[in-house]
Amino acid sequence: MRNSVNRPPTPDAVEDQEKEPTLQEIINIKMIESGEKEKLMELLRERLVECGWKDEMKALCRAYIKKKGTNNVTVDDLVHVITPKGRASIPDSIKTELLLRIRAFLASAAL
Amino acid sequence: MSSKINHHHQNDKTNGQIFPQPCPHLADFHARNGTKPFRAIQDCLHIKPPGGRAAIRRDSSEVPRCGVCGDSSCPRLYACMACAAVSCHVPPHSSHVAIHATKTSSACSHEIAVDVDRAELFCCACRDQVYDRDFDAAVVLAHTTSIIQSSKPENLRKRRRIDYRPWSPDLRERSLMVNNASPIDSMSSSNGDLPRGLRGLNNLGNTCFMNSVLQALFHTPPLRNYFLSDRHNRYYCQSKNGVRLCLACDLDTMFSAIFCGDRMPYSPAKFLYSWWRHASNLASYEQQDAHEFFISMLDGIHEKVEKDQHKPRRNGDCCIAHRVFSGILRSDVMCMACGFTSTTFDPCVDFSLDLEPNQGSSMKTSSTKTNHSCNCEADGMNSSQNCGISTLMGCLDRFTRPERLGSDQKFFCQQCQVRQESLKQMSIRKLPLVSCFHIKRFEHSSVRKMSRKVDRYLQFPLSLDMAPYLSSSILRSRFGNRFFPFDGDESNTLNEPSSEFELFAVVTHTGKLDAGHYVTYLRLSNKWYKCDDAWITEVNENTVRAAQGYMMFYVQKMLYYKASEKQGTS
């Protein structure tokens, strides 16, 4: 089959370029494969329960549901409402601890 | 914002739980797929030790990705129940799972999906979480096949109920009552507005620890009713044949003295002497610990009664002390390697709670409020942690929180056959009629050979709902948001006492560890009275709220007389 020189790249090639994984994705995959992500999730859950963050979020959700009525709230609404407050109120000690763990993992995985 | 679809979900109550009606898509799914469409999912679930979180089973190295965009890092990935296609849901940006739902045809419905990491159902068309009994049953079954359940202990078999038979006195009984009773109205009216049963107790030499607990016990409704209705008659008590002492008889003497209407302070000398003979190691004029006295006294009442009647200690039916105060605690120890859970049930007569450092200190929010001036009470929410106040419910939360046992306390796991690190969690299997909460304010460190007192203020409510600390609630939360009835729920909820309690007495401690004073605050007809040894005064509710609680007594709401009922009348 004669191919025109000016033919644009095939769709597959374009898709491949878009699908080139970012560094974030690579780290995520490596962490899941080694099981580190699971461990870190458990650690994070434990810390957030200990410091009362989970109870705080629960209380926020309850208040929101009370305000709107139980039949008028979806999971997405709740997630949308508490995400900014949740992110802001995570204690620095927990952030530090997790960052150190991730850094240690990256060093050991030689990325 | 995400488009809100109006759900006309009616809630219906079953077993005391609110169970939402299925959305039309879930109902449709059921209709298409037979009676038990979710049972097959049991094999696809993986229960992760130690907490027991349910997730969709996958190879440990497998990375779930959205089938449309290939994203693996988004927090919510859903697997379609019909075709197992995984899609992401990232409102309000994109929801590939909602797009997937549009593939629904008359042959196959792609509207119901399950969260890959949490094993929770999602309706892609309604864009909201949905709940299904059958699905939750599958999750619970997946749990129980991975955990070997311990056999039900004997003391949980349901008690036989006796039919209620009404009674009214016949002529002979009526004349007996009239001849041997005196009207009480004439006595109470001459003593102003103080309710019956309020009488000071003289301090016999550092005995405020005893006086404070006695005052609380005199007004413990089931205990007071037992003794005032002559259920333990000190004249006919068989244990006194010979020189054996009976603490219950001495208590009966005191009840009669306290409620007779005489307002002069009473000296509980005889009781003190009897108690010294029972607890000889505590017999001295030194200040003792009020809680220690409380336990020792209940033990004394139990011991003497059991010896006579040979009643086995089952379900707390052995003596009045246990019938009133005894509850059952459940302790779960979960192996962190394999998830095997060992469960034990222990009776308890009170709850000793730690008063640990403020949780509030690690969560600095913009508003800094001092302890007492905080208006958290008005909010009605559990926002006390923002203000940094310790509350009774906070202590109970800590009591029932899963606790990691240190590496020096490894527990022998029957499944792994080695000692493993474990997670321990306490919960309340059966609530007593009267709950006594003891706050551990006195720390004795054998390592440092010193003791100290924790003075920090603890906020306590007038009404308390213990439902979140019951085994049924704790187990339910361990499995996530499920509606399936659990092991803890097996007893008929109609016959079981409720979990709502009312405060009626507070024993407070002021001063230092070795030089302090106990005072009791009693709540009668919704008024508060301060019982300071021989002096009884009416006080404001705020005084009580601000006091340093050491032991708090709560009675089941149904046994608590409302303020509208006047004692001694009707």
Side-chain angles (χ1 to χ4, degrees):
Chain A
M1 210 162 49
R2 212 52 16 147
N3 296 331
S4 161
V5 179
N6 292 329
R7 196 179 71 169
T10 56
D12 285 36
V14 168
E15 266 186 323
D16 273 339
Q17 274 176 4
E18 282 174 12
K19 278 209 171 132
E20 173 105 12
T22 63
L23 183 61
Q24 197 174 349
E25 279 174 22
I26 296 175
I27 295 176
N28 186 40
I29 293 167
K30 279 270 184 280
M31 282 180 59
I32 296 177
E33 284 175 350
S34 62
E36 182 69 10
K37 188 169 189 191
E38 193 55 47
K39 287 187 203 152
L40 287 180
M41 289 288 269
E42 280 303 321
L43 175 68
L44 179 61
R45 280 196 191 100
E46 197 182 313
R47 293 281 180 262
L48 288 177
V49 167
E50 274 170 10
C51 74
W53 182 91
K54 184 175 173 184
D55 294 328
E56 266 273 314
M57 293 301 118
K58 234 180 178 172
L60 284 176
C61 289
R62 280 211 185 95
Y64 183 77
I65 294 171
K66 225 177 187 175
K67 197 170 66 169
K68 293 278 176 170
T70 40
N71 293 335
N72 301 332
V73 176
T74 68
V75 169
D76 293 342
D77 293 340
L78 287 175
V79 169
H80 180 79
V81 163
I82 68 171
T83 296
K85 297 181 197 176
R87 284 190 202 270
S89 62
I90 301 213
D92 290 335
S93 58
I94 297 182
K95 285 188 199 165
T96 314
E97 185 177 359
L98 277 163
L99 282 171
L100 286 173
R101 284 283 296 256
I102 295 173
R103 194 180 293 174
F105 168 76
L106 292 176
S108 70
L111 273 173
Chain B
M1 303 303 117
S2 60
S3 55
K4 241 180 284 190
I5 296 154
N6 228 337
H7 308 279
H8 293 288
H9 285 182
Q10 247 96 59
N11 292 341
D12 93 88
K13 269 197 170 179
T14 322
N15 260 357
Q17 306 164 30
I18 297 177
F19 192 78
Q21 293 277 311
C23 74
H25 313 102
L26 182 62
D28 182 58
F29 184 85
H30 262 278
R32 287 184 198 238
N33 291 307
T35 46
K36 298 208 165 143
F38 293 116
R39 280 302 156 97
I41 203 133
Q42 199 184 318
D43 298 323
C44 305
L45 292 174
H46 167 64
I47 309 298
K48 296 182 232 178
R53 307 180 71 83
I56 299 296
R57 185 196 297 271
R58 65 190 100 123
D59 200 34
S60 54
S61 58
E62 187 189 318
V63 177
R65 284 175 187 283
C66 173
V68 176
C69 61
D71 188 16
S72 61
S73 58
C74 78
R76 285 156 74 190
L77 286 170
Y78 291 98
C80 174
M81 285 298 297
C83 66
V86 175
S87 320
C88 66
H89 179 65
V90 194
H93 307 292
S94 61
S95 173
H96 293 137
V97 81
I99 294 172
H100 181 82
T102 58
K103 284 198 187 151
T104 299
S105 63
S106 55
C108 189
S109 157
H110 293 264
E111 284 156 344
I112 305 296
V114 60
D115 186 320
V116 160
D117 289 314
R118 295 171 192 88
E120 286 169 359
L121 283 182
F122 189 81
C123 173
C124 312
C126 296
R127 294 199 189 198
D128 194 14
Q129 205 151 330
V130 288
Y131 303 95
D132 183 79
R133 266 230 168 86
D134 191 49
F135 181 81
D136 291 343
V139 172
V140 172
L141 280 175
H143 267 272
T144 52
T145 48
S146 72
I147 295 169
I148 305 165
Q149 264 187 332
S150 51
S151 58
K152 218 193 312 186
E154 247 199 36
N155 60 358
L156 291 187
R157 265 187 243 131
K158 261 215 315 225
R159 271 182 274 178
R160 225 171 3 106
R161 302 277 162 183
I162 308 172
D163 290 329
Y164 170 71
R165 278 182 302 246
W167 170 88
S168 53
D170 60 23
L171 277 175
R172 187 189 71 90
E173 285 161 342
R174 210 179 277 274
S175 68
L176 248 181
M177 287 197 294
V178 167
N179 293 334
N180 293 304
S182 46
I184 50 178
D185 280 350
S186 55
M187 290 178 90
S188 63
S189 60
S190 64
N191 284 300
D193 290 276
L194 278 184
R196 296 194 77 77
L198 273 186
R199 192 172 175 187
L201 295 171
N202 284 321
N203 189 317
L204 305 173
N206 275 330
T207 57
C208 59
F209 69 93
M210 178 180 79
N211 290 345
S212 53
V213 171
L214 284 178
Q215 290 286 13
L217 293 178
F218 291 147
H219 294 274
T220 299
L223 201 66
R224 174 201 63 205
N225 295 348
Y226 178 83
F227 281 101
L228 288 182
S229 49
D230 209 27
R231 301 281 291 279
H232 186 103
N233 190 312
R234 61 183 178 273
Y235 302 112
Y236 294 126
C237 177
Q238 285 166 340
S239 68
K240 292 239 287 291
N241 289 340
V243 276
R244 285 200 298 180
L245 65 95
C246 175
L247 278 181
C249 286
D250 296 316
L251 197 56
D252 188 44
T253 313
M254 285 198 294
F255 266 103
S256 300
I258 296 296
F259 280 87
C260 71
D262 185 357
R263 296 293 181 184
M264 289 298 290
Y266 175 76
S267 293
K270 187 165 187 303
F271 176 81
L272 180 65
Y273 178 56
S274 296
W275 178 66
W276 276 350
R277 282 155 66 200
H278 166 72
S280 47
N281 58 323
L282 299 173
S284 76
Y285 277 114
E286 278 174 5
Q287 170 84 275
Q288 304 289 348
D289 179 40
H291 178 247
E292 201 172 356
F293 167 74
F294 173 66
I295 299 295
S296 158
M297 198 176 137
L298 292 186
D299 187 56
I301 296 173
H302 167 80
E303 206 180 280
K304 304 310 168 192
V305 172
E306 191 183 313
K307 272 186 187 147
D308 311 321
Q309 301 177 7
H310 304 286
K311 270 204 191 129
R313 167 99 162 255
R314 207 185 338 140
N315 258 338
D317 273 341
C318 46
C319 62
I320 182 61
H322 284 112
R323 214 177 303 141
V324 174
F325 289 103
S326 160
I328 299 176
L329 280 178
R330 175 184 171 132
S331 166
D332 292 315
V333 180
M334 296 164 274
C335 172
M336 295 198 59
C338 69
F340 173 75
T341 303
S342 157
T343 304
T344 50
F345 294 92
D346 293 303
C348 65
V349 292
D350 66 350
F351 302 100
S352 281
L353 305 172
D354 282 305
L355 193 59
E356 269 165 48
N358 273 339
Q359 289 176 341
S361 57
S362 63
M363 301 216 14
K364 294 265 159 66
T365 54
S366 53
S367 61
T368 48
K369 295 181 180 170
T370 57
N371 276 349
H372 291 253
S373 63
C374 183
N375 286 327
C376 293
E377 200 78 47
D379 278 349
M381 272 185 355
N382 193 14
S383 59
S384 54
Q385 281 163 0
N386 263 333
C387 316
I389 295 184
S390 305
T391 64
L392 182 65
M393 300 200 81
C395 290
L396 283 167
D397 279 332
R398 231 170 277 122
F399 181 72
T400 51
R401 200 163 276 171
E403 176 199 336
R404 183 168 283 181
L405 298 177
S407 46
D408 52 338
Q409 287 173 291
K410 282 189 184 167
F411 175 78
F412 184 80
C413 171
Q414 281 178 15
Q415 199 162 272
C416 300
Q417 289 291 310
V418 287
R419 285 194 176 275
Q420 298 278 19
E421 286 199 3
S422 339
L423 212 61
K424 176 172 160 185
Q425 187 169 32
M426 303 293 299
S427 56
I428 303 173
R429 170 63 182 91
K430 177 175 163 270
L431 286 166
L433 291 183
V434 176
S435 292
C436 168
F437 296 106
H438 163 238
I439 309 298
K440 292 191 205 165
R441 289 189 179 278
F442 301 113
E443 288 180 353
H444 303 281
S445 162
S446 51
V447 170
R448 280 181 282 171
K449 294 256 194 309
M450 54 169 259
S451 311
R452 71 178 187 105
K453 183 188 171 201
V454 181
D455 270 310
R456 190 171 54 257
Y457 173 70
L458 178 80
Q459 191 187 73
F460 47 88
L462 288 183
S463 303
L464 178 65
D465 188 358
M466 295 288 287
Y469 312 108
L470 292 176
S471 297
S472 47
S473 309
I474 299 287
L475 287 176
R476 195 173 296 137
S477 63
R478 208 185 282 163
F479 291 152
N481 293 326
R482 315 288 168 196
F483 284 98
F484 194 70
F486 284 103
D487 185 35
D489 273 357
E490 71 211 341
S491 35
N492 188 344
T493 43
L494 288 172
N495 283 341
E496 286 299 325
S498 78
S499 56
E500 291 178 18
F501 284 77
E502 286 289 316
L503 177 69
F504 68 91
V506 181
V507 173
T508 65
H509 184 270
T510 47
K512 298 202 287 271
L513 185 89
D514 44 359
H517 186 54
Y518 288 101
V519 160
T520 301
Y521 292 97
L522 293 174
R523 183 180 176 198
L524 300 168
S525 305
N526 250 350
K527 289 187 186 170
W528 284 97
Y529 298 91
K530 176 179 176 181
C531 304
D532 183 350
D533 283 330
W535 291 272
I536 305 212
T537 46
E538 191 185 332
V539 291
N540 194 293
E541 186 179 287
N542 290 328
T543 311
V544 183
R545 282 191 192 279
Q548 193 185 90
Y550 179 58
M551 290 167 76
M552 275 81 77
F553 291 80
Y554 288 81
V555 66
Q556 298 235 353
K557 198 166 170 186
M558 61 179 179
L559 298 174
Y560 180 70
Y561 291 161
K562 292 194 277 276
S564 54
E565 288 178 33
K566 279 217 289 261
Q567 296 185 14
T569 57
S570 80

